[in-house]
Amino acid sequence: MKPILEFEDVHYYYPGQKRSALQGFSIALPVGEKIAVVGRNGSGKSTFFLHCNGLYRPQSGVVRFDWQPMAYNRRSLQLLRQRVGLVFQNADDQLFSASVAQDISFGPLNLGLSDVEVRRRVQAAAELCEVADLLERPTHALSSGEKARVALAGVLAMEPEVLVSDELMASLDPWVRLRIFDILQQLHDQGKTILMATHDLSVVRYWASFVVVMEAGQAVFCGSPQRLLTDRPLLEKTGLARVWWRVEPSFPNEEG
Ligand SMILES: Nc1ncnc2c1ncn2[C@@H]1O[C@H](COP(=O)(O)OP(=O)(O)OP(=O)(O)O)[C@@H](O)[C@H]1O
Ligand SMILES: [Mg+2]
């Protein structure tokens, strides 16, 4: 297995909190997989994701991208962010330009691409995410699902190798969700790596090829959905067995 992203004994602490959000977090994520990240509220999924493109820097431990320990100088971060695109949990944290078109073009313009190439990328990403008819709209006056699609379009316009999306589907209607899954499949077919934090276990069951289960700032499982589903003690320990039974009624319940 060739890991694209590796975390080794990473600790991250938010000032004022009782415990670290990541405490001895270690994982190796294989390249080209569809990776679902699950875990209870507050288990550290978003904190983990904010490390993936260098926005957060571990207080101890190492994060490696493509075999190299991350460097946190301006130039290295700029290169890293071309290769790893992060869609935030809350689109309001991501969108800051006045109009949708400006927001989607911000990243490509920063890459120093020609105007023609920027326009091509913005149009392609907007069409893919079905926001082409919103391009002239102010970002603050969009619905939450529209904002999420604009945030995704802005990241896709960078054409990253790794797409990290933090509960992207949560605010999207079922039609757009299907559309986004099609887009993710296209990215997967191109060999890209996709990470998705989700509370939807059917995503783990039917979409993911690799799963990370987080608990209190640690990864308690990394591996295939099949292996997780057959690890009864782990499912019980993490409380996933009960919720799984709701997704898959044929899955033996506590009594079964
Ligand atoms: N900006 C912050 N300042 C202080 N504490 C924070 C901050 N962000 C997160 N935390 C704390 O860090 C821990 C991990 O939070 P994180 O947002 O990474 O969890 P999560 O798994 O993404 O949760 P959710 O499923 O609710 O999105 C929690 O205890 C949370 O309260
Ligand atoms: Mg989160």
Side-chain angles (χ1 to χ4, degrees):
M1 175 191 90
K2 182 176 182 276
I4 184 84
L5 263 169
E6 277 178 289
F7 283 60
E8 200 178 299
D9 199 22
V10 166
H11 286 73
Y12 189 87
Y13 173 75
Y14 292 100
Q17 296 297 319
K18 279 204 186 104
R19 61 165 183 84
S20 296
L22 296 181
Q23 34 193 350
F25 180 67
S26 297
I27 47 159
L29 299 178
V31 68
E33 300 283 338
K34 295 184 277 189
I35 302 164
V37 180
V38 295
R40 292 168 195 259
N41 292 132
S43 56
K45 302 179 296 296
S46 296
T47 307
F48 155 35
F49 279 8
L50 288 160
H51 282 78
C52 290
N53 71 349
L55 265 174
Y56 282 15
R57 182 178 185 163
Q59 283 131 0
S60 67
V62 185
V63 183
R64 284 186 211 92
F65 176 68
D66 205 12
W67 301 80
Q68 298 294 322
M70 279 188 189
Y72 295 88
N73 60 67
R74 230 182 110 181
R75 180 74 191 129
S76 304
L77 288 175
Q78 195 182 20
L79 289 171
L80 176 68
R81 286 172 196 163
Q82 283 173 36
R83 300 181 67 190
V84 181
L86 170 65
V87 186
F88 285 54
Q89 181 159 11
N90 181 353
D92 286 321
D93 293 337
Q94 185 138 13
L95 306 178
F96 56 86
S97 302
S99 79
V100 168
Q102 283 170 359
D103 220 291
I104 302 176
S105 52
F106 179 81
L109 278 173
N110 264 359
L111 294 181
L113 302 169
S114 69
D115 288 354
V116 174
E117 176 62 6
V118 170
R119 270 201 299 279
R120 183 194 71 75
R121 286 196 185 197
V122 171
Q123 195 60 36
E127 279 170 22
L128 209 53
C129 300
E130 297 187 340
V131 292
D133 54 345
L134 304 177
L135 284 173
E136 301 314 317
R137 294 268 300 274
T139 45
H140 67 86
L142 300 173
S143 77
S144 61
E146 289 167 345
K147 283 180 186 169
R149 279 145 58 197
V150 171
L152 176 64
V155 170
L156 293 184
M158 297 287 282
E159 301 185 351
E161 290 160 49
V162 179
L163 175 69
V164 183
S165 75
D166 198 349
E167 289 183 49
L168 173 65
M169 301 294 178
S171 59
L172 302 178
D173 69 49
W175 297 274
V176 174
R177 259 184 225 194
L178 283 180
R179 171 90 183 138
I180 301 286
F181 276 118
D182 287 344
I183 296 171
L184 298 183
Q185 189 58 43
Q186 283 179 32
L187 297 174
H188 174 69
D189 293 343
Q190 295 163 13
K192 303 197 175 186
T193 308
I194 303 159
L195 270 86
M196 193 192 310
T198 181
H199 291 299
D200 181 351
L201 291 182
S202 59
V203 169
V204 175
R205 177 76 174 88
Y206 299 107
W207 176 81
S209 57
F210 194 88
V211 189
V212 177
V213 181
M214 291 190 67
E215 208 176 80
Q218 297 189 332
V220 293
F221 177 85
C222 266
S224 71
Q226 290 74 16
R227 194 153 72 77
L228 174 64
L229 274 167
T230 50
D231 189 338
R232 189 74 200 198
L234 178 71
L235 288 173
E236 296 292 356
K237 185 175 152 272
T238 53
L240 281 169
R242 276 192 77 192
V243 275
W244 216 295
W245 182 65
R246 301 297 292 264
V247 175
E248 201 114 27
S250 60
F251 190 82
N253 63 22
E254 283 140 307
E255 291 81 40

